[in-house]
Amino acid sequence: MKLLEDFSIGLFFWQTLLFLALFFLLRKFAWKPILNAVNEREAGIKNALSEADNARKEMENLKSDNDKILKEARAERDAMIKDAREIKETMISEAKEEAKAQATKLIEQAKTTIQNEKLAAITDLKNQVADLSINIAEKVMKDELSNKDKQVALVEKMLGDIELN
Amino acid sequence: MQRKITIQTIALLLLLTSFTSYAKDDAPKGDKKSEIKEYIQHHLKDSYDFSLFSYTNDAGEHKYVGAPLPVILWDNGLKVFSSSKFHHGETVAEVDGNHYKLYHNKIYKTDAEGTINYNEEQHPTNVKPLDFSITKGVVMILITGLLMFFLFKSLAKSYAANGSIAKGAGRFFEPIVLYIRDDIAIPNIGEKKYMKYMPFLLTVFFFIWFLNIFGLTPLGVNVTGNIAVTTALALLTFLITNFTGTKDYWKHIFDPLGDSMPWYGKVPLYIILIPIEILGIFIKPFSLLIRLYANMQAGHIVLMSLIGLMFIFKSWIGSPLSFGLAFAISLIEVLVALLQAYIFTMLSALYFGFAAEEHDHHEEAHAH
């Protein structure tokens, strides 16, 4: 029972009073500001870390986007080059084709013209030859038929030709 | 449950070890020994003046070095006077026609001659007035309070001034504050409610720790080893626990088995269980107060006994040996000072955790 005898009401009273005063003062002026500051700081650090992480991810995304775009561009360029080449080739071949056709046509035309001209020339020549021979024949006839003897001789000769034919 | 049992076992062990060391010095033989024993007894108690040390001069006079403190008594009105009037128990103090005498560190009302009447058990029968004196312990509590207030206020200010980074002594104390938050409060109370209890836990931790450390200084104050101080602290834990107790906390006490059993099965069990649970409400803080008191008291007794042994041995072998032992023990006491503060805070947090717990009954019902 010495323990109870030693129990000092006064000390108990002062301890409770002073401790409560200390508790309320510290709560207001120390613990709340300290804990808030620490919590804020930690939240700030957490935020900064997550932001950095996000930024890194974004960078990665950007990079991969860039790569993708580059790849696409390259593919497009290749496709364009290929197209151009094809177009070029078709154009060349078409041109060739056309030229050939044109040439053939021209040649054909030239040939027909030549043929026509030739025919015309031949016809003309024939006509002229016919005219000439008629004229010659007329002159010869006139000359031949100027006397009777000659006319008879001619007739006879002609007759004789006919017989020969 | 497992955890509760281990903690109680540890508490019991701590208590037992404390009492075994308490029982060590019970042999008042020889003049020097009894003198030392009396000195230790005196040291363990609170005193009415702030004595630093005392010595006996060549003329055989007992001289005390220290400062007197105000004595405040309630004895048919407030009586305030300086403790120097007692002359360390040697004279009778006379205030407004009343006479008071210091006997075995207690103030008794006496007649003008300072007669103390004893009963057959050698206990004084004089009236003890209600005593609200500012004793050495109260002064140390005040000093510790002021120290803590300015220390942690400056820490709080340094955050604002220094961009959320602690400065100076705060660099040392901030990790401890964080440790109490992260390893004591949050695991025991939970993320949601710990903020409500943090101010008390921090205050109680630093208060006990600082006073324990002050007890190890040559100032020689034994505040945390005083049953009144530990009672006051444990009482606050008790009040906070029970006033912040949730419905689940009380349900756990008055209906510990819950819906797992029909009512006719619970009745015979509850005749035993509920008294135990109700007793538990009081035993928990009681173990806190006894543990802190006994540990600090025992530490002081062991330490001072070992120092006293030096004067008893007075030899080239014994004295250095006990000096070395006293040195080792005082190092351990520095650890104990921190450990007891930690245990008190930890267990308070644990009890607050019980009080603040909220079961998710809906979820539990699904789990069954």
Side-chain angles (χ1 to χ4, degrees):
Chain A
M1 279 296 104
K2 203 148 176 283
L3 211 62
L4 275 184
E5 219 175 90
D6 278 347
F7 191 93
S8 157
I9 301 284
L11 188 58
F12 177 79
F13 165 76
W14 285 114
Q15 156 68 18
T16 310
L17 189 77
L18 291 174
F19 186 83
L20 281 178
L22 179 67
F23 168 70
F24 285 116
L25 280 174
L26 279 179
R27 188 169 73 167
K28 184 162 194 295
F29 291 108
W31 304 134
K32 285 215 164 136
I34 288 173
L35 289 172
N36 285 342
V38 167
N39 283 348
E40 255 168 48
R41 191 181 63 193
E42 274 165 12
I45 291 169
K46 214 177 265 177
N47 265 355
L49 281 178
S50 74
E51 256 165 41
D53 209 40
N54 281 349
R56 215 194 55 220
K57 263 183 203 152
E58 218 160 280
M59 272 257 292
E60 258 164 32
N61 279 350
L62 226 76
K63 217 175 133 194
S64 72
D65 269 5
N66 277 351
D67 280 353
K68 218 170 89 187
I69 289 169
L70 210 71
K71 212 181 253 175
E72 272 172 15
R74 205 168 278 153
E76 210 166 315
R77 190 198 63 183
D78 284 351
M80 272 163 79
I81 289 174
K82 206 175 137 199
D83 275 1
R85 200 171 282 150
E86 269 168 17
I87 288 168
K88 185 191 79 177
E89 260 154 32
T90 44
M91 265 170 74
I92 289 172
S93 65
E94 264 172 24
K96 268 185 186 164
E97 242 10 78
E98 211 167 308
K100 206 182 255 174
Q102 202 75 20
T104 338
K105 206 173 152 193
L106 277 171
I107 290 166
E108 215 59 49
Q109 262 178 1
K111 270 188 184 158
T112 33
T113 318
I114 290 167
Q115 200 66 32
N116 288 347
E117 290 296 312
K118 209 171 99 184
L119 276 173
I122 289 170
T123 325
D124 204 33
L125 207 64
K126 268 182 182 163
N127 288 343
Q128 277 184 14
V129 169
D131 278 355
L132 264 171
S133 33
I134 287 167
N135 284 343
I136 293 166
E138 224 174 54
K139 271 175 185 170
V140 170
M141 284 303 228
K142 264 175 192 169
D143 202 42
E144 287 292 313
L145 296 173
S146 46
N147 54 40
K148 220 159 175 169
D149 297 341
K150 274 190 182 172
Q151 282 176 355
V152 173
L154 188 65
V155 173
E156 275 180 4
K157 189 191 170 202
M158 277 185 162
L159 286 170
D161 281 347
I162 290 166
E163 264 179 327
L164 269 170
N165 274 350
Chain B
M1 202 61 203
Q2 189 66 45
R3 198 175 184 190
K4 235 161 115 186
I5 288 164
T6 20
I7 284 164
Q8 269 156 12
T9 324
I10 290 167
L12 195 68
L13 280 175
L14 285 173
L15 270 173
L16 282 176
T17 47
S18 313
F19 279 126
T20 46
S21 48
Y22 190 82
K24 245 182 203 169
D25 44 2
D26 260 339
K29 269 181 202 163
D31 204 30
K32 197 102 197 167
K33 274 186 192 170
S34 57
E35 194 191 322
I36 286 168
K37 197 189 166 203
E38 202 173 298
Y39 189 84
I40 294 172
Q41 289 293 336
H42 175 79
H43 160 82
L44 291 174
K45 281 185 185 146
D46 213 358
S47 77
Y48 286 96
D49 46 1
F50 205 102
S51 52
L52 294 172
F53 55 89
S54 63
Y55 60 95
T56 314
N57 65 6
D58 296 335
E61 271 180 294
H62 226 50
K63 290 273 182 192
Y64 294 90
V65 176
L69 296 169
V71 175
I72 304 167
L73 297 178
W74 183 265
D75 183 26
N76 295 323
L78 207 62
K79 307 273 188 298
V80 182
F81 56 96
S82 166
S83 71
S84 60
K85 279 192 173 182
F86 286 127
H87 294 100
H88 304 280
E90 283 154 20
T91 58
V92 180
E94 194 256 315
V95 188
D96 306 335
N98 292 312
H99 298 272
Y100 301 103
K101 187 159 168 60
L102 206 59
Y103 176 73
H104 279 288
N105 234 5
K106 286 256 182 291
I107 294 173
Y108 293 94
K109 202 174 176 185
T110 61
D111 53 15
E113 281 78 44
T115 333
I116 302 252
N117 305 309
Y118 301 95
N119 61 8
E120 56 271 22
E121 282 155 10
Q122 287 298 304
H123 286 307
T125 51
N126 293 47
V127 177
K128 274 199 280 182
L130 264 180
D131 180 4
F132 293 104
S133 303
I134 307 292
T135 57
K136 198 178 182 182
V138 176
V139 171
M140 278 323 292
I141 291 167
L142 245 156
I143 290 172
T144 310
L146 285 176
L147 180 75
M148 277 173 73
F149 181 67
F150 287 112
L151 190 67
F152 291 111
K153 202 181 165 215
S154 79
L155 172 61
K157 265 190 186 161
S158 76
Y159 282 117
N162 203 27
S164 292
I165 291 165
K167 231 163 79 181
R171 290 247 171 102
F172 175 72
F173 289 108
E174 191 202 281
I176 300 172
V177 172
L178 291 182
Y179 178 81
I180 291 170
R181 189 193 60 177
D182 296 337
D183 289 272
I184 294 179
I186 292 179
N188 284 313
I189 301 170
E191 194 86 54
K192 221 164 48 183
K193 286 186 168 176
Y194 81 95
M195 261 312 241
K196 198 166 72 177
Y197 299 102
M198 270 307 274
F200 179 76
L201 293 176
L202 287 167
T203 314
V204 94
F205 176 81
F206 286 109
F207 186 78
I208 294 173
W209 188 30
F210 283 8
L211 277 176
N212 286 351
I213 291 289
F214 277 133
L216 293 173
T217 59
L219 285 176
V221 280
N222 184 27
V223 182
T224 41
N226 191 304
I227 192 93
V229 173
T230 58
T231 306
L233 288 172
L235 187 69
L236 286 175
T237 299
F238 171 77
L239 291 176
I240 293 173
T241 308
N242 289 295
F243 277 112
T244 60
T246 56
K247 222 173 87 191
D248 283 307
Y249 170 70
W250 293 110
K251 189 174 180 291
H252 185 79
I253 288 165
F254 292 109
D255 187 17
L257 294 173
D259 304 327
S260 59
M261 213 182 242
W263 67 269
Y264 48 86
K266 285 198 280 191
V267 166
L269 281 172
Y270 278 9
I271 291 169
I272 305 162
L273 264 182
I274 289 178
I276 289 174
E277 289 283 352
I278 290 171
L279 214 59
I281 302 174
F282 298 98
I283 287 173
K284 282 173 194 164
F286 186 71
S287 74
L288 278 183
L289 86 90
I290 290 293
R291 185 182 305 106
L292 182 59
Y293 160 75
N295 271 286
M296 295 331 289
Q297 186 87 316
H300 280 248
I301 290 169
V302 169
L303 202 51
M304 294 194 75
S305 303
L306 285 170
I307 292 167
L309 272 181
M310 278 191 266
F311 300 98
I312 289 172
F313 280 135
K314 272 195 179 165
S315 74
W316 283 104
I317 305 164
S319 293
L321 202 71
S322 56
F323 174 78
L325 218 58
F327 180 67
I329 293 290
S330 62
L331 285 185
I332 290 173
E333 280 300 311
V334 172
L335 187 73
V336 169
L338 180 63
L339 193 70
Q340 287 306 319
Y342 169 76
I343 290 173
F344 196 101
T345 316
M346 176 75 190
L347 290 179
S348 291
L350 192 70
Y351 302 154
F352 296 159
F354 293 147
E357 76 182 327
E358 261 172 51
H359 292 299
D360 203 339
H361 289 293
H362 187 66
E363 200 123 313
E364 230 171 60
H366 272 285
H368 282 299

